[in-house]
Each structure stands twice: as C-alpha cells, then as structure tokens.
Amino acid sequence: MQPVVASQIPGELRRLFGAARRVLVLTGAGVSAESGVPTFRGGGDAAVWKGLPFDVITSLTMVERDLSVVWEWFDYRRGVLESLKPNAAHDTIARWQERFDQLTLVTQNVDGLHHAAGSRDVIEIHGSIWHARCISCGSRFEIPRQGQRPETCFACGDRLRPDVVLFSEILPAGAFELAAQRASECELCFVVGTSAIVYPAAALPEIAKANGAYLCEVNPERTPLSDLCDVLLTGKAGELLPRLN
Ligand code: BJW
C-alpha cells in the first residue's frame, strides 16, 4: 500500500500515538540540522560538512594511515558543536520518554545533542564524538568540553582514536542487538532525519515493520525506506514532531 503523505498529523497516526506503549525512534543527521549541525549527504536544504569527502576521512584506512588528519577533522567538528544546542525535535523526543512505557531512542548521530536535550539510555549506534578509544586495548575516555583531549591511553599508553563507527567497522558491542530487539517489539516506529542508506541502522525500521509496527518517516525528502512506511510526514523534524504532543 502507498504511504499517506502529509504535512499535518493524520488522524490515524494521532490515534496510534495516543494508544501506543512501545515506541522506537531512529534518528539521523537531519534531526540535528535545525541546530546548525551539517548533515553528511544533504537533503531538506541542510548544510553539508565541508572538506575532504567524509567517507574518505571517516575510513579505517585513514585511521591506519594518518590518525592526526582524522583527529583534525573530529577536533574541528567538536569545535563546531560546542556552541550548538538541541532543537525542538530533540526536546520533543526527550519528553516522549515520560509518555510511553518503553521509548527506545536509537541515533546514528555522534553529536550528543539527544543527551543534551535530556534523553536517557540513548543507543548511539555510531558512537560518540565526545569519546576517544584506545586503538590497542579499546578503553574509552570522555573528551572534556573544555580543555585538552587525552592523547594516549591511560590504561596501556597506546594511541587514541575517535570512538565513532567508520564504514566496515562493527557497531558498539550489543548496541545493534538491543536496538533490533526493541524494533521487533515496538508498535510505532519513527524514522527521523536519516537518508536511510547506511546499514545496519536502516534495517531497524524494516525489522519494526516486519513485526507489525506502524512506520512514520519524518523528512523533507523521500528515502529508500519511504515506500515501506505507513505515513510520510514531509517537512522539518523540529516543526513536525512537536505537533504530535
Ligand atoms: C531532515 C532535515 C530536517 C535534513 N528534519 N530531516 C548491508 C547492505 C549494504 C551495505 C552494507 C550492509 N551492511 C553493511 C554495509 C556496509 C556499510 C553501509 O551501509 N554502506 C552503505 C553506504 C551502502 N555499513 C557499515 O560499514 C557499518 N558497519 C557494519 O555494517 O559492520 C558489519 C559489516 C562490516 C563489513 C561488511 C558487512 C558488514 C558501519 C556504518 C558506519 C557509518 N558511519 C558514519 C560516520 C560516523 C562517524 C562520523 O560522524 O564521522 O555514520 S557514515 C555517516 O552516515 C554517519 C551517519 O550516522 C550515517 C547515516 O547518515 P544520516 O544520518 O542518514 O545522514 P544523511 O546526511 O545521509 O541524511 C540526512 C537526512 O536528513 C536526509 O534524508 C535529509 O533529507 C534529512 N533532513 N534536514 C528532518 N530539518
């Protein structure tokens, strides 16, 4: 069946939103676009990260070949993020955790803005720009908002890299498994601000749908997932999500 395309909240979605107990939200770069965070691939008039193509710089090859260039890129991005704040989409999703028996928030974003908005237990399936990880022993360290980032591992002394998931790398232990479990249990699934081309993240709404969930995409543009959805809310997340409350 073709999805309903809407820029206002359709009655069926409003009814399900009122009745649902288990809800999963998958977010991507578009949810942070209205905070001023550039996206990776554009869409919805969002700004795009500039510089080296991100899939070159965020590659395992680059980590192995020139870790200092990779750090330069992530230091720059943390610098951009320092002054940015959560927007109405982050705030709305954070409030939903009080509304539903089980609200699972899975984000592909590494920017920490869901935490900043007050969301708890966020499943960060692509890691966090605010953490570093040892290339040898895997120990993780928080990067302070102010001051120096740690250069070497406090546990074994080896070099640190950004604790983010690059192409061809596996996701943080247990993160996808938990997200997939919650996707298979949810009644309502929101897919917000993602181009839905990066797997396995993009498989989560597919799992939800296969297990009977109602699927709602929130995006100014269509994605490869759109045809699977029950409703497409066409527009900006920060404008549309608050209308559900
Ligand atoms: C708005 C808006 C507004 C604008 N409101 N919306 C199965 C099939 C095919 C391929 C694979 C597969 N399994 C694995 C792969 C390989 C690969 C993959 O998926 N490749 C595809 C590109 C083809 N996946 C992996 O390698 C993953 N690892 C893995 O699977 O390990 C096991 C394995 C290994 C080897 C072989 C097989 C299996 C790891 C993926 C890691 C992704 N990493 C990155 C970088 C993170 C670090 C960093 O930040 O630099 O994650 S890539 C980049 O893309 C980043 C993002 O999280 C991710 C997704 O991007 P996102 O969030 O969707 O952003 P955009 O920019 O693409 O889209 C923005 C959207 O917002 C647009 O739609 C706009 O319209 C919209 N928008 N304004 C709402 N206001």
Side-chain angles (χ1 to χ4, degrees):
M1 218 165 60
Q2 287 294 305
V4 173
V5 182
S7 54
Q8 299 295 328
I9 310 301
E12 190 185 19
L13 174 59
R14 197 169 281 291
R15 186 183 61 72
L16 282 163
F17 188 78
R21 286 169 301 136
R22 292 179 301 275
V23 174
L24 182 131
V25 183
L26 171 68
T27 64
V31 84
S32 295
E34 289 158 82
S35 292
V37 184
T39 65
F40 295 94
R41 302 172 186 85
D45 293 329
V48 179
W49 286 110
K50 291 200 175 63
L52 270 183
F54 77 87
D55 47 351
V56 172
I57 209 155
T58 61
S59 69
L60 200 46
T61 316
M62 195 59 113
V63 167
E64 282 158 3
R65 193 190 295 155
D66 197 344
L67 193 49
S68 62
V69 171
V70 176
W71 270 121
E72 226 171 86
W73 166 237
F74 281 93
D75 289 347
Y76 163 71
R77 285 172 57 187
R78 285 200 323 284
V80 171
L81 285 170
E82 252 158 35
S83 60
L84 302 184
K85 300 213 165 12
N87 64 56
H90 299 105
D91 292 342
T92 300
I93 295 167
R95 280 201 292 277
W96 288 357
Q97 66 201 349
E98 317 304 338
R99 181 179 182 119
F100 300 106
D101 290 351
Q102 186 182 83
L103 188 272
T104 305
L105 173 56
V106 186
T107 189
Q108 299 168 83
N109 298 346
V110 299
D111 57 31
L113 287 175
H114 282 301
H115 283 116
S119 282
R120 300 182 296 269
D121 303 325
V122 185
I123 304 179
E124 293 180 308
I125 47 174
H126 291 164
S128 167
I129 202 166
W130 298 105
H131 285 91
R133 181 171 90 235
C134 176
I135 58 167
S136 291
C137 72
S139 297
R140 291 174 78 239
F141 303 96
E142 195 166 339
I143 302 178
R145 303 270 161 163
Q146 263 97 39
Q148 281 291 104
R149 83 172 142 74
E151 297 274 339
T152 51
C153 178
F154 299 138
C156 76
D158 211 339
R159 289 174 305 155
L160 299 176
R161 54 161 281 182
D163 187 27
V164 299
V165 182
L166 310 173
F167 280 121
S168 83
E169 290 191 303
I170 54 164
L171 275 48
F176 183 74
E177 291 75 6
L178 176 60
Q181 175 65 35
R182 296 288 179 80
S184 71
E185 293 167 358
C186 73
E187 300 147 78
L188 180 55
C189 174
F190 289 93
V191 189
V192 186
T194 175
S195 56
I197 63 166
V198 174
Y199 279 80
L204 293 170
E206 296 171 351
I207 293 170
K209 181 70 178 180
N211 285 277
Y214 184 91
L215 218 55
C216 171
E217 183 172 69
V218 184
N219 199 313
E221 315 246 329
R222 289 183 73 94
T223 76
L225 212 61
S226 298
D227 284 338
L228 193 68
C229 291
D230 296 287
V231 61
L232 307 180
L233 293 183
T234 307
K236 295 184 174 181
E239 292 170 8
L240 291 170
L241 290 181
R243 292 187 198 163
L244 272 156
N245 292 332

